[in-house]
């Protein structure tokens, strides 16, 4: 499917991209995928394979995918709207809105016992949440630390079926989170995921709307993101594939999340900014194109130019960046090189030096359900690859890696 405009890619390069993606599907390791690449006025879409590993309906351009952590770069826009409107300020303490996080205790050692603490040196601020430095997070480099077990024992995150999303409603979730100490002092260290979920609660409390209602009103609606939400309604469920988590030893396709009756078939108690959205390649393209356009969508301003600049440029110190990179190296699916080259803006990674085919300044993120979305200001390029083969095995990770390698070769000037 080709929409001709100004030349952005070579035909040979796009043919090669299709060949490489088709090879991953034909290997039998990935049932199907949808890819969208766009540069300037030119958009190219590939929908390959099937929704289920045993055949059935083909993947289509409008197939809906669980975005998992690729939710983060989109969900963070809600907070940016509130900053633009001066309803929040970057360095304001969050205590008035999130009293559960006031008067924190901080572990003396991040891997130490939960009762060995000192007082927090200062309150958590909006900036700490936006940069994922609030002092709480999932640290895969310290899996045996008491704090990691406490997240699951306190029911902050559910672990029964490997589904890393908050299960209780926002107020109860905040209450449970408030029973735990911080792992690091506010602003000290980058830590994954928890900040993104807290931001959703913050937005809901500031606006008096649900997180999803506010996102729909200010981001999804204006951008025409009609298939983006925190669950898939019944009349669209035929467009959602199952989520597979293949057994990495046998290669057997195990279903991690069914379609009917699965996690995404009904509204969740908690609308997770860390990993809860469902979406399509075209919806995500609209959002990332808006970021490349400095906050504009057509003639309508969605975010201010400075808000977009803050989100999409590195906000971490060298020490914080080192912690992010150590964490990324420990996560099997971040094969797109973020462990080596990534800083962090708000809700997304930002390339801070070049280590493979993608240039400095590229921004976006990946998701554990087999999703990747990045935009590149230098080349005015957006790349989106969506699968539903969880990244517990290397196969999705290899497909994502090869997608970016071939996409950058297809640029034609």
């Amino acid at each position: 499917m080709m929409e001709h405009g100004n030349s952005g890619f070579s035909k040979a390069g796009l043919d090669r991209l299709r060949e490489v993606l088709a090879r991953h599907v034909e290997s039998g390791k990935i049932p199907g995928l949808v890819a969208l690449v766009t540069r300037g006025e030119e958009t190219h879409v590939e929908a390959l394979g099937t929704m289920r590993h045993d055949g059935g309906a083909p993947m289509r351009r409008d197939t809906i995918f669980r975005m998992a952590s690729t939710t983060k770069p989109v969900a963070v826009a809600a907070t940016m709207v509130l900053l633009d409107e001066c309803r929040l300020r970057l360095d304001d303490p969050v205590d008035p809105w999130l009293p559960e996080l006031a008067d924190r205790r901080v572990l003396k050692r991040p891997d130490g016992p939960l009762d060995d603490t000192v007082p927090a040196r200062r309150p958590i601020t909006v900036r700490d949440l936006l940069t994922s430095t609030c002092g709480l997070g999932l640290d895969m480099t310290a899996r045996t630390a008491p704090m990691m077990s406490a997240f699951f024992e306190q029911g902050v995150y559910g672990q029964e079926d490997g589904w890393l999303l908050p299960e209780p409603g926002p107020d109860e979730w905040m209450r449970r989170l408030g029973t735990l100490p911080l792992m690091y002092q506010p602003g000290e260290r980058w830590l994954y995921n928890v900040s993104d979920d807290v931001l959703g609660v913050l937005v809901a409390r500031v606006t008096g709307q649900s997180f999803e209602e506010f996102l729909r009103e200010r981001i999804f609606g204006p951008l025409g993101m009609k298939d983006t939400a925190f669950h898939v309604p019944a009349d669209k469920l035929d467009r959602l594939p199952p989520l597979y988590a293949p057994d990495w030893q046998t290669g057997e396709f195990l279903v991690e999340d069914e379609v009917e009756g699965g996690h995404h078939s009904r509204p969740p108690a908690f609308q997770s900014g860390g990993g809860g959205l469902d979406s399509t390649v075209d919806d995500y393209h609209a959002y990332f194109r808006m970021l490349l356009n400095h906050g504009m969508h057509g003639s309508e301003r969605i975010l201010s130019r400075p808000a977009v600049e803050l989100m999409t440029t590195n906000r971490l110190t060298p020490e914080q960046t080192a912690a992010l990179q150590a964490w990324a190296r420990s996560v099997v699916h971040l094969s797109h090189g973020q462990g080596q080259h990534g800083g962090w803006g708000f809700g997304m990674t930002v390339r801070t030096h070049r280590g493979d085919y993608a240039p400095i300044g590229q921004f976006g993120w990946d998701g554990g359900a087999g999703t990747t979305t990045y935009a590149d200001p230098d080349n005015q390029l957006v790349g989106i690859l969506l699968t539903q083969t969880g990244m517990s095995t290397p196969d999705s990770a290899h497909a994502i890696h090869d997608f970016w390698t071939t996409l950058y070769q297809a640029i034609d000037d």
Side-chain angles (χ1 to χ4, degrees):
M1 283 174 274
M2 203 72 184
E3 296 162 16
H4 284 289
N6 300 339
S7 175
F9 301 109
S10 71
K11 181 178 184 308
L14 290 174
D15 289 347
R16 174 106 180 93
L17 179 68
R18 180 189 173 88
E19 270 167 41
V20 166
L21 293 176
R23 200 161 65 223
H24 281 283
V25 172
E26 286 155 12
S27 75
K29 303 285 178 63
I30 295 174
L33 56 83
V34 182
L36 180 147
V37 300
T38 177
R39 186 164 181 242
E41 299 299 309
E42 184 174 331
T43 300
H44 184 78
V45 177
E46 296 289 356
L48 302 172
T50 54
M51 304 265 278
R52 294 183 172 272
H53 86 89
D54 47 8
M59 283 285 183
R60 302 191 330 210
R61 181 170 180 160
D62 68 351
T63 295
I64 297 170
F65 293 84
R66 300 162 192 77
M67 299 308 290
S69 283
T70 319
T71 294
K72 292 174 169 68
V74 172
V76 75
T79 307
M80 304 314 291
V81 170
L82 297 178
L83 290 172
D84 276 344
E85 296 183 350
C86 301
R87 294 159 81 180
L88 285 173
R89 297 177 199 91
L90 274 173
D91 293 306
D92 278 357
V94 297
D95 300 3
W97 304 109
L98 305 171
E100 299 93 337
L101 296 182
D103 305 316
R104 296 287 78 202
R105 304 289 299 178
V106 183
L107 294 176
K108 281 187 187 167
R109 297 198 336 271
D111 59 350
L114 299 189
D115 55 359
D116 191 15
T117 62
V118 296
R121 291 195 283 265
R122 63 164 178 80
I124 294 169
T125 64
V126 176
R127 186 189 301 269
D128 297 329
L129 293 175
L130 284 165
T131 53
S132 291
T133 60
C134 76
L136 285 166
L138 302 173
D139 188 355
M140 304 309 171
T141 62
R143 290 169 196 265
T144 56
M147 193 63 187
M148 286 297 97
S149 314
F151 278 126
F152 300 110
E153 284 159 12
Q154 293 297 321
V156 174
Y157 289 100
Q159 203 181 20
E160 301 78 62
D161 52 4
W163 200 253
L164 215 58
L165 291 173
E167 290 175 348
D171 293 344
E172 172 59 16
W173 187 78
M174 288 301 302
R175 187 195 68 75
R176 294 180 190 184
L177 195 63
T179 65
L180 299 172
L182 303 183
M183 298 146 72
Y184 292 87
Q185 290 285 345
E188 183 183 359
R189 188 182 173 100
W190 183 93
L191 288 162
Y192 196 52
N193 202 73
V194 174
S195 290
D196 300 278
D197 281 334
V198 174
L199 280 173
V201 183
L202 177 66
V203 167
R205 290 184 178 175
V206 170
T207 62
Q209 296 174 270
S210 78
F211 186 36
E212 183 170 44
E213 282 168 347
F214 188 71
L215 276 167
R216 188 177 301 122
E217 185 181 296
R218 304 306 299 273
I219 306 295
F220 304 159
L223 287 172
M225 298 170 68
K226 60 185 189 301
D227 291 321
T228 303
F230 287 105
H231 84 289
V232 181
D235 62 348
K236 294 182 182 180
L237 271 179
D238 61 314
R239 290 161 55 195
L240 180 74
L243 174 62
Y244 293 106
D247 183 300
W248 61 276
Q249 287 173 311
T250 66
E252 182 192 353
F253 277 94
L254 307 171
V255 175
E256 187 164 311
D257 187 39
E258 264 301 353
V259 177
E260 302 285 343
H263 287 273
H264 288 253
S265 67
R266 58 188 180 272
F270 190 103
Q271 296 165 354
S272 168
L277 284 177
D278 303 297
S279 194
T280 62
V281 288
D282 283 296
D283 280 10
Y284 257 61
H285 176 227
Y287 179 79
F288 274 79
R289 179 58 58 187
M290 176 272 291
L291 295 182
L292 281 184
N293 292 337
H294 312 290
M296 294 296 290
H297 177 68
S299 59
E300 187 174 0
R301 181 158 291 288
I302 308 295
L303 295 171
S304 71
R305 178 184 280 259
V308 173
E309 287 168 357
L310 281 168
M311 293 162 70
T312 60
T313 52
N314 183 40
R315 307 261 62 86
L316 300 184
T317 65
E319 297 75 28
Q320 291 168 337
T321 303
L324 158 64
Q325 292 175 355
W327 173 85
R329 282 193 294 273
S330 74
V331 180
V332 66
H333 70 256
L334 293 178
S335 69
H336 178 36
Q338 295 314 327
Q340 283 65 48
H341 332 302
W344 197 259
F346 292 164
M348 64 190 96
T349 195
V350 181
R351 288 290 174 120
T352 49
H353 71 269
R354 187 161 195 163
D356 61 18
Y357 285 62
I360 290 170
Q362 186 205 45
F363 56 81
W365 197 228
D366 308 290
T371 56
T372 185
T373 305
Y374 287 82
D376 167 358
D378 279 0
N379 292 295
Q380 283 297 299
L381 174 148
V382 177
I384 303 168
L385 175 64
L386 307 181
T387 76
Q388 287 293 224
T389 309
M391 295 197 190
S392 54
T393 64
D395 301 300
S396 256
H398 288 159
I400 285 171
H401 191 280
D402 296 350
F403 167 72
W404 290 108
T405 299
T406 46
L407 173 55
Y408 272 99
Q409 292 175 57
I411 291 174
D412 186 31
D413 287 315

